[in-house]
Amino acid sequence: MSALRTTGLRAATGVAASALALAAFAVAPASAADTTQASVQGQSQQTAAKTQQAKKQRVFKVRTEKQLRMAVRKANKTSGKDRIVLLRSIKFATGKNSKGGAGRGDLDVRGSLVVMGRGKSINAKGVDRVFDVRTGSRLVIKRLRLRNGAPAETESGGLIRSRGDVQVRKSSLLESTVTGAGASGGAVMNDGGMLRIVESRVRRNSSERAGGGIEASGGTTVIARSRLTGNTTGAVPGNGGALHLTGTGSVKVKGSLVANNTAGAEGGGLWNSATGDFTVERTTIRDNTAAGAEADQGGGGLYNDGGVLTVRASNIETNSATGAAGSGGGVLNNLGTLALSTTEVQGNSAPRAGGGIEANGGTTTVVASTIEGNSTGAAPGNGGGLHLTGAGKVTVDTTKVLANTAVEGGGLWNAAAGTMTITGSTISGNTASGAAADQGGGGVYSDGTTSITSTTIDANKATGAAGSGGGALNNLGSLAISGSAITNNAANRAGGGIEANVGSTKVMLTTLQGNNAGTAPGNGGGLHLTGAGKVEVGQSKVHDNTAVEGGGLWNSATGTMTVTDTHLRGNVATGAAADQGGGAIYDDGGALTVSGSTIENNKATGAAGSGGGVLSLGGTLELNGTNLNGNSAPRAGGAIEVNAGTADLADVNAVDNATGAAPGNGGALHITGAGTVTWANGRIAGNSATNEGGGLWNSATGTLTATGITFEANTAPEGPDAYNDGGVMTVNGAVILPGSGI
């Protein structure tokens, strides 16, 4: 082994012969090992064994395809780790798809082989794939470009097929294809083995079935600091444009770029199986497309088909699901487990739902991430940022949901059978464009069970003609909001902050501020209840909201609303009619209970607006232990307007409330029509009416009974403390005759 052996060359002499021999295919012994064996005596059996193994390692320097094939054949006959060094780029020229091991067609690797490309290439020229690595074998590729592989129809692995251990380092796998039914892995097929691709490119490869760039059928696959770009799949089934995992395997993609890949159906970038374990870390997934037409297809960037998908510290941006009902422009979790953390999901789109993320059942957790600028189409167009279909579970924690758009649920959308928990997050600047009264939910739309805690829902919009719930819309479901801020949201129809369409809505320890309900009809600036639902507002602040009716809160004709220990301040109702107003609260005939609360400095500002604090229209009103201070209305009922219906007040104080001049009656309380009011115990002080009843005013058909009331410094031209326009009125045991006051 001390001299070089040459193949396919005529022997030469002198310096010229030596140079020619070095340039040709050569086998060189491992000199360090030989020196050790020759010079060291009496070494241990272990050292001798290592040295003997090293003697079997050889280096093959090749220029031609023939030399390359001969080198692989020789390497296959040894048990050592052999190396091939490319001195020139090589092109295959033998007959297409020929058989014969390493001699013809692809190069069968049956041992341990390292191929050093030194920036050169092996161009298969459509003859076959380049390498076929057998079970138990190992192939390492360094600084090598492989391109134009095309094995026989229906075979997988356009450049490399492996059942062994393959490492690709600082190399490129380019422009190869596999065709025919079931053909997968346009560049690489990892068939149950170990695949590592590091600091490499996998580009412009294609497959018929799946894995336009890489197919992993079980086994372990690691992609690190690499670029998977421009790979494509066909349409049957057409999954995993860049990489596809089949079966029970493990895939890790770290520090990489997955961009501009296309899948015929699912997972434009990456696709995980039902039993797969797939991790994406510090990776950008960008501009990938999935064209599947069904509602459970899509996943422009990533698709998880029931397995475990973990995404950390990554960017998922400007991906698309383009099929007719395609969902999950960025990510689609189909009945699996998705854990996404410290990741940005930005600018993705889908026609049906889940512009950023679609969760079809399963469990989806989003933590410390940003979901921004994603959008859905109009079919039906739900969940611009995230959409849950079916009986799944979604958790959104310490996450920003910003500037997403949809028909319903501009930010987030929860299904009727779903459970969504939102904690410590910011939901801001999202838009829902749905035109119907049960559409909207600019920030959050819920058909199911949704819990929102310690979250800010700010500056979201429902922009459709009758869109409702600028901040959140609870549609027939259960919504619980606690310790949160619902601020500066807007809707065209109702519920500038929150729309509750039937169902159960509970708002605790929360601020509703600066929300606007629009004008069509424009009800419930802070919160609006439609239908026979139930609303509880407790220990909260309802400040500076605006609507036509119910600047702060609005209760429906068949609804039940309870307000406890809440501060309602600075809310405005702009309705111009006599039965409009209710600056703080409007009750449209339902059951309204307010206890332990403060209602102050609210206004009804319309031409004949009534009930600066509260307007009850034919409903059942109960006020307990509550203070109404500094509220005002142009027409009547500076603090409270009772238009028909009944009202029971206990331990209620009304101070410094006022009416305007149209006609200006009932500074503290005004009864319109056949209403019945009982007021037991309280202080009525400093209220004023421009015309009649600075404190209390009773209609010609109304009934008002007041007991235990202290009157102080109320003012009006007629009846500074109380005025009876013809009905039945008793104040502190004294009957007030029709047409008179006190």
Side-chain angles (χ1 to χ4, degrees):
M1 298 296 289
S2 61
L4 295 173
R5 294 184 297 178
T6 63
T7 304
L9 297 172
R10 183 173 297 173
T13 60
V15 176
S18 297
L20 184 60
L22 287 171
F25 162 63
V27 180
S31 59
D34 285 348
T35 300
T36 300
Q37 177 133 3
S39 61
V40 179
Q41 300 297 324
Q43 59 187 319
S44 65
Q45 291 183 350
Q46 182 178 5
T47 303
K50 289 182 179 179
T51 304
Q52 184 63 31
Q53 180 68 21
K55 289 181 67 177
K56 296 180 180 180
Q57 299 178 8
R58 296 179 290 181
V59 177
F60 303 90
K61 298 181 179 180
V62 303
R63 287 176 175 269
T64 66
E65 178 189 6
K66 183 176 181 180
Q67 292 167 4
L68 173 63
R69 292 185 179 280
M70 188 177 297
V72 174
R73 283 205 307 268
K74 288 182 177 292
N76 286 341
K77 295 178 180 179
T78 68
S79 58
K81 183 170 66 175
D82 296 298
R83 286 177 170 81
I84 294 175
V85 179
L86 265 66
L87 301 180
R88 287 185 179 176
S89 294
I90 292 172
K91 297 181 180 179
F92 282 8
T94 56
K96 182 173 175 64
N97 303 318
S98 300
K99 297 181 179 180
R104 304 177 69 184
D106 58 24
L107 301 167
D108 292 347
V109 177
R110 299 179 180 175
S112 180
L113 180 63
V114 178
V115 180
M116 310 293 292
R118 303 200 309 174
K120 305 298 189 299
S121 65
I122 299 176
N123 187 342
K125 295 199 71 175
V127 170
D128 203 331
R129 69 178 63 83
V130 179
F131 294 107
D132 195 346
V133 183
R134 302 299 178 86
T135 303
S137 299
R138 184 171 185 265
L139 172 66
V140 178
I141 295 172
K142 296 181 179 179
R143 298 186 62 211
L144 176 64
R145 292 193 301 271
L146 302 181
R147 66 191 332 137
N148 293 329
E153 190 170 357
T154 74
E155 289 192 7
S156 297
L159 289 167
I160 302 171
R161 180 173 65 184
S162 173
R163 294 184 177 90
D165 183 344
V166 171
Q167 294 188 31
V168 179
R169 296 183 177 273
K170 296 184 178 180
S171 297
S172 298
L173 309 178
L174 308 172
E175 299 165 353
S176 299
T177 186
V178 292
T179 59
S184 302
V188 183
M189 171 64 166
N190 177 22
D191 193 4
M194 175 71 196
L195 172 65
R196 294 179 182 88
I197 297 180
V198 181
E199 295 179 339
S200 297
R201 295 187 303 161
V202 181
R203 184 180 180 193
R204 292 183 181 175
N205 304 284
S206 64
S207 68
E208 182 69 25
R209 171 186 169 266
I214 301 166
E215 168 71 14
S217 181
T220 300
T221 300
V222 177
I223 313 295
R225 304 184 300 281
S226 295
R227 300 168 68 90
L228 281 60
T229 60
N231 303 286
T232 62
T233 72
V236 184
N239 298 335
L243 188 153
H244 179 272
L245 172 61
T246 297
T248 305
S250 171
V251 173
K252 293 183 179 179
V253 180
K254 303 185 293 185
S256 295
L257 172 67
V258 181
N260 300 111
N261 302 284
T262 302
E266 300 170 357
L270 307 172
W271 197 98
N272 184 35
S273 70
T275 54
D277 188 347
F278 206 118
T279 300
V280 178
E281 186 173 336
R282 302 188 312 278
T283 290
T284 296
I285 300 170
R286 183 182 69 212
D287 296 325
N288 302 285
T289 301
E294 301 300 321
D296 59 354
Q297 292 184 314
L302 301 97
Y303 189 100
N304 182 35
D305 197 37
V308 177
L309 173 60
T310 302
V311 182
R312 291 190 290 264
S314 295
N315 293 306
I316 303 169
E317 57 191 40
T318 56
N319 303 282
S320 302
T322 61
S327 303
V331 185
L332 198 159
N333 178 25
N334 185 45
L335 307 176
T337 299
L338 169 64
L340 188 147
S341 63
T342 58
T343 290
E344 295 188 358
V345 182
Q346 296 180 316
N348 305 283
S349 63
R352 172 186 169 264
I357 302 170
E358 166 72 10
N360 183 24
T363 300
T364 300
T365 304
V366 182
V367 178
S369 295
T370 299
I371 303 173
E372 183 174 8
N374 304 283
S375 63
T376 68
N382 297 336
L386 183 151
H387 179 271
L388 171 61
T389 298
K393 181 179 180 181
V394 169
T395 299
V396 178
D397 184 28
T398 55
T399 288
K400 296 178 181 178
V401 182
L402 310 174
N404 303 282
T405 59
V407 174
E408 295 177 358
L412 308 173
W413 198 99
N414 184 27
T419 300
M420 182 176 288
T421 302
I422 304 165
T423 307
S425 296
T426 298
I427 301 171
S428 179
N430 302 283
T431 302
S433 61
D438 60 353
Q439 293 184 313
V444 180
Y445 186 102
S446 177
D447 274 345
T449 300
T450 299
S451 172
I452 302 173
T453 305
S454 302
T455 290
T456 296
I457 301 177
D458 178 73
N460 303 282
K461 297 179 181 180
T463 61
S468 303
L473 195 159
N474 175 23
N475 186 48
L476 310 177
S478 174
L479 173 64
I481 302 176
S482 177
S484 296
I486 316 296
T487 57
N488 304 312
N489 303 283
N492 274 349
R493 170 186 169 264
I498 302 170
E499 166 71 10
N501 183 24
V502 195
S504 172
T505 301
K506 188 172 185 178
V507 180
M508 301 295 294
L509 297 166
T510 289
T511 297
L512 296 169
Q513 185 167 5
N515 302 287
N516 190 316
T519 59
N523 297 336
L527 183 151
H528 178 271
L529 172 60
T530 297
K534 181 179 180 182
V535 170
E536 297 179 55
V537 179
Q539 297 177 277
S540 294
K541 296 177 181 179
V542 182
H543 292 175
D544 306 317
N545 302 283
T546 304
V548 174
E549 296 177 356
L553 308 173
W554 198 97
N555 184 36
S556 73
T558 54
T560 300
M561 181 178 287
T562 302
V563 181
T564 307
D565 299 329
T566 289
H567 188 212
L568 298 100
R569 184 192 68 200
N571 301 285
V572 176
T574 62
D579 59 354
Q580 294 184 312
I585 307 175
Y586 188 101
D587 180 21
D588 197 39
L592 171 63
T593 301
V594 181
S595 60
S597 297
T598 298
I599 302 172
E600 64 177 343
N601 298 328
N602 303 282
K603 296 179 181 180
T605 62
S610 303
V614 180
L615 193 159
S616 177
L617 182 65
T620 301
L621 170 65
E622 293 186 14
L623 285 175
N624 302 294
T626 291
N627 297 312
L628 296 102
N629 305 323
N631 304 284
S632 64
R635 171 184 169 267
I640 304 169
E641 165 74 7
V642 177
N643 188 341
T646 63
D648 291 316
L649 287 66
D651 300 312
V652 171
N653 301 314
V655 178
D656 297 333
N657 303 283
T659 68
N665 297 332
L669 180 145
H670 180 274
I671 299 174
T672 297
T676 300
V677 175
T678 300
W679 192 330
N681 303 319
R683 179 171 174 257
I684 301 176
N687 303 283
S688 63
T690 304
N691 190 17
E692 300 169 348
L696 306 175
W697 196 96
N698 184 35
S699 72
T701 55
T703 301
L704 173 58
T705 303
T707 58
I709 302 298
T710 299
F711 293 97
E712 299 176 18
N714 301 291
T715 60
E718 295 190 49
D721 290 329
Y723 187 90
N724 183 15
D725 195 43
V728 177
M729 185 175 188
T730 303
V731 177
N732 291 336
V735 175
I736 309 301
L737 297 176
S740 65
I742 57 172

